[in-house]
Amino acid sequence: MSDHSDERATMIAAGDLQEFAPRGREHCRRHPSALTLQLRRLQPASELCSSDGAAGLVGSLREVTIHERQRESWQLRKGVSDVGEEVDYDEELYVASNMVIWSKGSKNQASTVYKAFTVDSPVLQALWCDFIIPQEKSEKADGSDEVVEKCICILQNSCINVHSIEGKDYIAALPFQVANVWPTKYGLLFERSSSSHEVPPSPPREPLPTMFSMLHPLDEITPLVCKSGGVFGSARVQYVADYTLRIVFLNAEPSIVMTYDTVQSLHTVWALRRVKPEEQNAVLKFSEQMGTPQNMATSSSLTAHLRSLSKGDSPVGSPFQNYSSIHSQSRSVSSPSMQSRSPSISNMAALSRSHSPALGVHSFSGVQRFNFSSSAQSPKRHSITHSPNSASSDSFLITETEPIIPELCIDHLWTETVTNMRLEKNSQASKVFITTDLCGQKFLCFLVESQLQLRCVKFQESNDKSQLIFGSVTNIQAKDAAPVQVHTSVWTINCGVSCFVACVGKVFIPGLPAPSLTMSNQMPRPSTPLDSVSTPSKPLNKHLGPIEEGVLLSPVPELRDTSKIHDSTYIEDCTFQQLGTFIHALRDPVHNRVTLELSNNTMVRITIPEIATSELVKRCLQGIKAILPKEIAVQMLVKWYNAYNAPGGPSYHSEWNLFVTCLMNMMGYNTERLSWTRNLDFEGSLSPVIAPKKARPSETGSDEDWEYLLSSDYHRNFESHPVAKALRLDPLEVLAPKDDFSQSLSLDSSTLLFTHIPAVFFVLHLIYEELKLNSLMGEGIRSLVVVLVQLARDLKLEAYIDYYYRDYPALVKTSRQTCIIDQVQTGFMHHPSFFSAEPPSIFQWLSSCLKGEGVQPYPYLPGVCERSKLVVLVRTSVKRICFILSAYIYWLLLDSPLFYRCSFSHSTSVSSLAEKLVIWMTNVGFTLRDLESLPFGVALPIRDAIYYCREQPASDWPEAVCLLIGRQDLSKQACEGNLQKGKSVMLSSDIPSGTESEEDEDGMNDMNEEVMSLIWSEDLRVQEVRRLLQSARPVRVNVVQMPEASDHEYIEEKENRLLQLCQRTMALPVGRGMFTLFSYHPVPTEQLPIPKLNLTGRAPPRNTTVDLNSGNIDVPPNMACWASFHNGVAAGLKIAPASQIDSAWIVYNKPKIAELANEYAGFLMALGLNGHLTKLATLNIHDYLTKGHEMTSIGLLLGVSAAKLGTMDMAITRLLSIHIPALLPPTSTELDVPHNVQVAAVIGIGLVYQGTAHRHTAEVLLAEIGRPPGPEMEYCTDRESYSLNHYILGNLIGMSDLNVPEQLYQYMVGGHRRFQAGMHREKHKSPSYQIKEGDTINVDVTCPGATLALAMIYLKTNNRSIADWLQAPDTMYLLDFVKPEFLLLRTLARCLILWDDILPNSKWVNSNVPQIIRENSISLHATELPSSEDLSLETLAQAHVYIIAGACLSLGFRFAGSENLAAFKCLYKYATDFLKCLSAPTASITGHYNLETCLSVLLLSLAMVMAGSGNLKVLQLCRFMHKKTGGEMNYGFHLAHHMALGLLFLGGGRYSLSTSNSSIAALLCALYPHFPVHSTDNRYHLQALRHLYVLAAEPRLLTPVDVDSNTPCYALIEVTYKGTQWYAEATEELMAPTLLPELHLLKQIRVKGPRYWELLIDLTKGTNHLKSILSKGGVLYVKLRAGQLSYKEDPMGWRSLLAQTVTHRNSEARAFKAVRRLERREMSETFELWQIKLVLEFFSSRSHQERMSRNPNRGLFMNSEFLPVMKCTIDNTLDQWLQAGGDVSLHSYLSGQPTEESQLSMLACFLIYHSVPTPGQLAAGGLEVSTSPEIHSEFRLALLLLLTVLLLRKRYTNACSFSFFF
């Protein structure tokens, strides 16, 4: 390069110079292993070598400084966040010795070590790699076929470690020495080190493959295959086995490999892809067709070699071994001549000429050296298993080895040409990279250091995207090179960010000294530019064409069309020597940063500047780049880049001024003489594009400064100010401008962009229209319109000038200077076909759409006019648009699939146009932030659609749609619904309660206080319930010592009193379990806290402890054993079904103390009831059962059965059958199974076979109901409970086809015993030695079971004939044969069968009582007893109360969980009647015990109806019963009362009861109306079954949660019931949180306004959505409307009304300000008037009117009074202007005459508002306006008449449309 060209070279300033050191180096110094390395420095090298080899070598290397750099290495990449997004920091992977340090960070973000790895042997290489994990079919539900696992790979000598960022670690052994490892798109690629004995290979033995792939660390390493073109297009596939090929570069996207042939000194590019099945077969068949026995051993040499070194034989064979007939190709053994190493020049030339990879490849002799036929396989993970020798019977393969199936294949793409100059062998590329130029063309660049050359090859994808096509090579002189990028990100929706690269001249690096080329100046000057370094400004640009002005220096002389401008540092020949001592190399390019290695062993990191920072400049550059031809665009961008980034370049504010000057210069303008560009302020040095130097401004000022001040707006405003008039200041005259500016200027036609001025102008106009749609870019629009006016005036485009005048009347009037363009030169201008005579106007286009006029397609430039495209598509509902691409235009109807379609998933319900619009906008990425920056007139239709959708959203819309319409409640609900785990976010009841420490142990401290305080906000009933149910603290034993009682008697009395109280305490846990149901999520590392069951007391006044263990009184043995069991169940039932627990945690909770075994047994049963016992390992179940602990067996059997409800699980069936003799074969060994365990097993069978109608099980268990007592004391005690428990089988198994009813009827009423059939009949031949029953059935044993079995079989069937069997006897004689309590069961069973007849009133209850009882019933208030000899009053009274109780219990079942008011009143009346009866004098006839039983049944019935509601009246009844502890009150009654209390607050108000068949069966089991007499009583009913209520409980609490504050709140909901036979469809309003009715009864649920946005849950489409919400804590997210307060803050709604008056109405406010400015005539621009016009046209548009007529009640988006007032104000203002002389201005405008300056702004407003056509359009329509003065007045009159008619018609239309608003 000459000195002259050096002077002309442009200088670019690099920014952000900073010293660089790898971040991992400092971390390594602090590493613990660093100390041992420092110690080794002290030893001499000889000792180190004799010690442990590898470490010794490392230590000796540390002594030698020259090896320091070889020992450490690092690489940098652009940071990637965890979610895969690019972030603005670098990531570094640093390797030193045995350590790998992965760090992240940049200059503005502190660097941190992300991960550090230390391995056993020295690290050879470390790299990032992504592995693709193919998903199973079952996992593909979410739509993604594969998962990418991001990993770090660390290569050691014998293995490779892979660490994923998720924490998985893999170690893969290497079966060979690896020379290099490369990350690919698919996995890893290995290069095998070639050992010395392989060079050269002997002809009989073929070489082993040299390249291998590994697609996942768990896969084996497989050889790479190569596919090269054949002679006639046929391709052969073979292993890559050429040891002369070395990989120099590998890229993931596109997936290519570059290799270097060390013999021929040529670079080749290959495409890397997955191998096809036919290619796998072809490779595997080669070895079978070897044909010669001597090849037998060698053909599998690779397999043997790999197998001997790898992880051992894998049993999985090849899936391709059996396909012997597929693609078998003949193959000859390669002859020695084919191994020739002499390069064929002619073949190479042929190859390089053919850019298509399909041609000419066969003649490349190097390709044919890949003939490798060893069959070896590394099986894929999912391959099919075959036997290894299945296909080898006819081959010579060794059958022990399996073929290794290749995974990846390389296809030949390109090989560089051979030139005569390239004689030296060492021309391997030291650095290869892919870069992109300004116009998106891609280049593969490789640096050949030995020749100081950077070779660049252009490549592109073929049209079908199937292959890459390579072009010719361009050489650039360079010592080193690195790719850097400069982003120009433009606001865009579907176009990616463009990164382009140009090459510019030299880079000025501040702070680095420059070596002088003259010997005299030895000292470096720190601030001078580095004269001879030229680095990339941006990655690359190619094909520039001749470049004038020496801006870009090409080191390659005159390459014409391919004048290559490098993107890397090149150094001119004359300065290599001097500069080589300064900058040593370039490395670590990341984005626009690169590191310079200096020769003094230091490194400096520099940042290459951006192409622009101003948003406006970026948009203009983007548009101009898209519209110009590529070569011109590159030159234009390079010139701008040089100007902008010159040393000491402009600040952000002056960037636009610099850009305008630069652009105008390139279009041929003389900016020094153009008045408005001459005064632009640059605030910095001008680049050489504009002027070589800018004169330093004078300190004293000049005349021009004074002129500038006089012509400023500030001066004009000051002159018109009242103060100036008051002071009587004379106005100053502005001097006339100088002559040289007044004369016309001509353009230089030789400049770069002169011929493209029309195209540049049009694209700038489109950008101008685009910026109008962004209200944040107002300043940019004003700057741009000045340029557009100048260009439009010079191009004589009157329509455009008029258009800009209408937009900016104040700006346009100031610029008058015109530049002359020769007519001859105009002919040279390129007028593009898309250039339209009428200016495209987005506002005018929208206005025409709203008025229903026909519109032309709107022009669109991809990547530039994105907002325009969006707005146009919104209005046309995706109809049509016009595209401008580069220099071409074409019309595209958007009904074709080439563009965005309004695509929603089929599940999404879309009904109206507004909904379609909103969903479409979501699909194209439109957000609320984008909406905020749209002008209010344009945004109004969109906001209207959003407003419409916000009021009536569908519950199944995607999350993004919900966010767009401002319904975060819906999006959050959808997000919560998608969570796999059902744990509620904030209602998880893990909120710590602020209770005292002693209360923390009562087992009720995990309840959700926040929700319960909302449900029961007016009193302290929850605290009262907690007090009644706590059993962890001593009870108060209050006994007064009588004077005559001794101390001993007093102590006994206290203990007896305590014993009575303990009966109550032991009954509390069952109720507590109901209260705390599913309220706790346990911590997996902690044991479940089980509250203590405290059976001690405290006696006042001294608070002395009273204990039952003193021996003073007799205490029943094992009294507390069932109480402890219930306590364990209650604790276990706290655990929510969604909790995360496993088998280990269940075993971990097993107590060490034997006394707590009963509690643990209950805990196991509870885990079964909430579904967690299925996680318990079978081994543990067996372990528990073999211990023989009765309680544990009962809990476990019932638990596993409940967990496997209705599944007929065979494993559980076998487990249960062992415990039931009837299900065992007759010859089986008799096991000593405790009776209670047998009962539990029978119930378990019923649960497992629920609803299955399993015949055999039903038959066997039916026979067991009436089984007689056997000999040897067998089956003699507690027979009733055994028989009873078969009643559940009716519902659970279903036996109506077994001739069952008659048999059950006999069991119920008695009669002769039937003959025992079946295999167990031998057992019952001999009678019992203890019990004499005779031949009749013992009804006392069988009646309850048979009665309830009938009820279960015929439940809800309304079968009258069966119901009549169960009718109560209606004669005294028959009444004597039935126990009164059996009448309760019969009445209950009858009512359950006649389900639909149950009515919630006293009349129906009494109708169940037979007439004889009704007529002779005793009045409750009778003081005397009637005497009767014929009737037994006692029998009648007892029968009466039990029948009433049975009917009331059936009423409880019928209305369970419904909170039915009529049922509640009816039951409450009977409960109070029974209470009175207890204290009445006639109570002795009925019997206190019977009355207590019936009262308990009534209380349970009430609690069932009001389950979960916490009803106060029922609570008072329960509390009253809680206080009764003496007299007849036994353990069973306390149990019933506290179960009622628990049901009333079921699950803390979150749960209620279901009335499904299985739920009623479970409730019958739990609430069986025969209560135990004492705590160990299981005679009639097994106590464990009291907990089966869990199977009937279902979550039904709906809790509104404010989506903004994430706290529970009140919300009004409207519940609509489906119509039934009893009532029509009805609607009820509830205040949530509330319990919902059963879901099958409901039609829909709606969150009502006005405080919260409405939300509809439609249950006609299915209840799954609501069930999902309820199961996850019932959280329903709601969103508070603007201006409203919650019900808690504002219960009456008064404050919210005040808040409504200040809601945000931004659109109205802005429009109102614009109207006020118009009234004051201060409109300098008409932007806001356009918005008001669009608003008015939208509300008067036909589509809006139709919508309003369809839905007149819908609220308007804008205030109905506001719009007409605003319209009238504008009309009046413009009318006044017209009458006050505006008509003269209008005539002047239409006739083309100059208009008075003061009228310009109002005239523009008039033209815009009334859509007055331009003079040109009038002339085109034949309406020319004369300018002669004679007819001026006539025209004026005619014009006024014409305008009056037009305006009146327009106003009439608008008035009609606005009448809708009133």
Side-chain angles (χ1 to χ4, degrees), residues 302-377:
L302 170 68
T303 303
H305 177 65
L306 289 183
R307 294 288 178 216
S308 63
L309 292 170
S310 69
K311 307 160 198 168
D313 291 343
S314 167
V316 187
S318 157
F320 303 102
Q321 285 178 330
N322 292 332
Y323 305 140
S324 55
S325 62
I326 300 178
H327 295 286
S328 57
Q329 300 180 3
S330 60
R331 175 187 179 281
S332 62
V333 181
S334 37
S335 62
S337 65
M338 296 175 88
Q339 304 287 339
S340 159
R341 294 290 175 216
S342 60
S344 163
I345 303 298
S346 60
N347 285 348
M348 283 307 304
L351 176 65
S352 63
R353 281 193 298 273
S354 62
H355 296 306
S356 168
L359 301 172
V361 185
H362 67 280
S363 56
F364 176 34
S365 61
V367 171
Q368 296 178 351
R369 298 202 302 273
F370 290 93
N371 300 339
F372 178 74
S373 61
S374 169
S375 154
Q377 195 267 2

Side-chain angles (χ1 to χ4, degrees), residues 988-1009 1012 1026 1030 1072 1075-1076 1079-1080 1089-1091 1134:
S988 58
S989 68
D990 290 335
I991 302 159
S993 58
T995 51
E996 299 166 14
S997 58
E998 60 179 52
E999 282 191 12
D1000 289 348
E1001 301 160 5
D1002 65 359
M1004 291 175 276
N1005 52 323
D1006 297 302
M1007 306 298 291
N1008 193 330
E1009 306 283 350
M1012 289 197 297
R1026 191 167 168 177
Q1030 70 81 25
R1072 192 185 78 238
F1075 178 52
T1076 61
S1079 61
Y1080 177 63
I1090 299 181
K1134 279 205 311 185

Side-chain angles (χ1 to χ4, degrees), residues 70-71 73-75 93-100 119 121-128 152-157 159-162 174 178-183 188-191 247:
Q70 297 173 6
R71 198 180 53 78
S73 64
W74 65 88
Q75 56 178 307
L93 204 58
Y94 176 86
V95 176
S97 181
N98 298 19
M99 287 171 279
V100 177
V119 292
S121 59
V123 177
L124 304 180
Q125 196 178 343
L127 52 107
W128 287 286
I152 290 277
C153 304
I154 301 171
L155 178 69
Q156 300 178 67
N157 206 13
C159 66
I160 185 163
N161 299 45
V162 180
L174 298 173
V178 173
N180 221 333
V181 60
W182 300 86
L188 290 176
L189 198 67
F190 297 96
E191 274 186 282
I247 298 178

Side-chain angles (χ1 to χ4, degrees), residues 679-841:
N679 294 324
L680 291 177
D681 176 28
F682 295 106
E683 296 181 10
S685 67
L686 285 176
S687 90
V689 176
I690 300 162
K693 295 274 183 186
K694 184 176 183 183
R696 179 186 175 90
S698 164
E699 298 289 345
T700 58
S702 66
D703 290 344
E704 288 180 5
D705 299 337
W706 179 244
E707 291 168 18
Y708 176 78
L709 190 63
L710 289 182
S711 59
S712 66
D713 290 338
Y714 179 82
H715 175 69
R716 279 195 294 275
N717 292 340
F718 181 75
E719 281 194 332
S720 61
H721 198 274
V723 175
K725 291 174 183 171
L727 297 173
R728 298 183 179 178
L729 298 176
D730 295 329
L732 293 168
E733 289 299 320
V734 184
L735 296 174
K738 293 181 183 176
D739 290 339
D740 60 336
F741 289 109
S742 60
Q743 66 187 20
S744 296
L745 305 171
S746 59
L747 268 67
D748 181 2
S749 61
S750 63
T751 47
L752 179 69
L753 298 182
F754 177 79
T755 56
H756 300 283
I757 288 177
V760 172
F761 168 73
F762 192 69
V763 77
L764 290 177
H765 176 80
L766 287 183
I767 293 169
Y768 170 73
E769 292 297 317
E770 171 76 6
L771 294 178
K772 281 184 180 180
L773 295 176
N774 189 343
S775 54
L776 304 176
M777 295 295 289
E779 195 62 42
I781 301 174
R782 284 186 280 277
S783 304
L784 187 56
V785 79
V786 179
V787 183
L788 289 169
V789 169
Q790 180 72 55
L791 292 175
R793 189 172 282 123
D794 296 344
L795 291 170
K796 299 183 174 58
L797 300 170
E798 293 300 329
Y800 283 87
I801 297 171
D802 181 79
Y803 178 72
Y804 299 134
Y805 155 67
R806 292 188 182 202
D807 280 353
Y808 286 94
L811 273 177
V812 173
K813 69 184 179 190
T814 57
S815 54
R816 293 284 182 202
Q817 194 171 10
T818 312
C819 298
I820 297 170
I821 300 176
D822 264 346
Q823 286 300 319
V824 182
Q825 293 172 348
T826 311
F828 291 124
M829 279 192 184
H830 174 62
H831 283 271
S833 58
F834 51 77
F835 193 95
S836 59
E838 289 298 323
S841 167

